[in-house]
Amino acid sequence: MVAKLDAAEAIVKHEFTQFDQVNSEGGRAYCQDDWPTFHSQRLGQFLTWPAELLHSYAADLDAADDSGRNLLTEKYARMMASTEPERYASEIEPHLPTLSEERIAAQERIIATQVQWAQDFHHEYPRLGANMRLLHTADDTLDDTSFETYLRGELGTYSSATLELYAAMIDDCLARGSNLTAQTVSITVGLAGYQSLDDAESDQSN
């Protein structure tokens, strides 16, 4: 567990370094200077991942550095396919790595599963859910992007090897009847000092 925590922490630090270099339109975004929130949210996600997946994504980040790419920039750029589709098609998409139809189909299968998990979580923990992203791409605005859109942008930055391992994790969760959203939020609220999801949910009304 210590080795996994160390690997996850290293990834979060590496991501934040790339996040710091993202050039936001209209100036630097306040969240780029909010390490505590970035740390807890991303660590909560990565601690649900198996070690092999962590190592694969760490290699993706290293490879991006070596080739002059920024995976965090690419993630937010891909999200513009929903929020600014015309601009994305003309100005952004030509500069991003092309995703095959097979790759997109694999991502969409994952996204459908995770959006359902997130929806189930929102129903079970409505107060916690209210503090999370909107769920569906159809509800995106320029200022508020959904979980679905965010996930689509993120998956689009993974290498083929990382996506394959990620899909295997999703399939394992399905086989075990687990909800990855619940696992992630449980870890995140635990990092904030709560004993359980129920405790965190109850505290949202205070």
Side-chain angles (χ1 to χ4, degrees):
M1 182 61 186
V2 173
K4 181 175 177 178
L5 177 60
D6 288 345
E9 287 279 13
I11 287 173
V12 176
K13 290 176 183 176
H14 197 159
E15 277 200 331
F16 195 70
T17 298
Q18 291 197 3
F19 188 47
D20 181 63
Q21 296 167 0
V22 173
N23 292 319
S24 302
E25 198 168 283
R28 186 175 178 83
Y30 75 90
C31 53
Q32 289 179 272
D33 296 313
D34 187 1
W35 162 251
T37 299
F38 185 94
H39 175 260
S40 64
Q41 291 181 346
R42 297 303 283 171
L43 187 63
Q45 174 178 328
F46 294 130
L47 287 177
T48 66
W49 289 15
E52 189 177 10
L53 176 55
L54 289 170
H55 295 321
S56 184
Y57 182 54
D60 289 354
L61 290 167
D62 288 338
D65 287 343
D66 291 342
S67 62
R69 293 171 59 197
N70 183 320
L71 298 189
L72 278 290
T73 293
E74 291 184 14
K75 172 169 66 176
Y76 291 105
R78 288 189 181 279
M79 291 164 62
M80 291 173 64
S82 169
T83 58
E84 296 185 76
E86 293 183 1
R87 183 181 173 203
Y88 175 80
S90 63
E91 299 179 23
I92 307 299
E93 188 175 20
H95 303 288
L96 295 173
T98 301
L99 302 178
S100 68
E101 291 185 7
E102 181 182 14
R103 165 65 182 254
I104 292 171
Q107 291 181 182
E108 291 302 314
R109 182 181 71 85
I110 293 169
I111 291 164
T113 299
Q114 289 201 240
V115 169
Q116 184 60 59
W117 281 335
Q119 190 165 299
D120 292 344
F121 181 86
H122 278 232
H123 288 157
E124 187 170 1
Y125 298 98
R127 295 192 184 101
L128 287 170
N131 292 323
M132 296 164 63
R133 288 180 178 271
L134 300 170
L135 289 181
H136 301 289
T137 293
D139 297 321
D140 284 347
T141 68
L142 281 173
D143 299 319
D144 200 358
T145 50
S146 64
F147 171 71
E148 180 183 353
T149 296
Y150 184 92
L151 181 59
R152 187 171 289 116
E154 182 157 306
L155 294 179
T157 70
Y158 295 168
S159 67
S160 296
T162 297
L163 186 70
E164 184 175 340
L165 290 167
Y166 191 92
M169 177 184 68
I170 298 300
D171 289 340
D172 181 62
C173 287
L174 283 169
R176 292 186 289 107
S178 298
N179 182 321
L180 191 61
T181 296
Q183 293 178 40
T184 302
V185 180
S186 179
I187 293 172
T188 304
V189 300
L191 293 170
Y194 292 103
Q195 296 300 308
S196 68
L197 284 170
D198 289 335
D199 286 345
E201 173 76 3
S202 180
D203 192 50
Q204 300 310 300
S205 61
N206 296 332

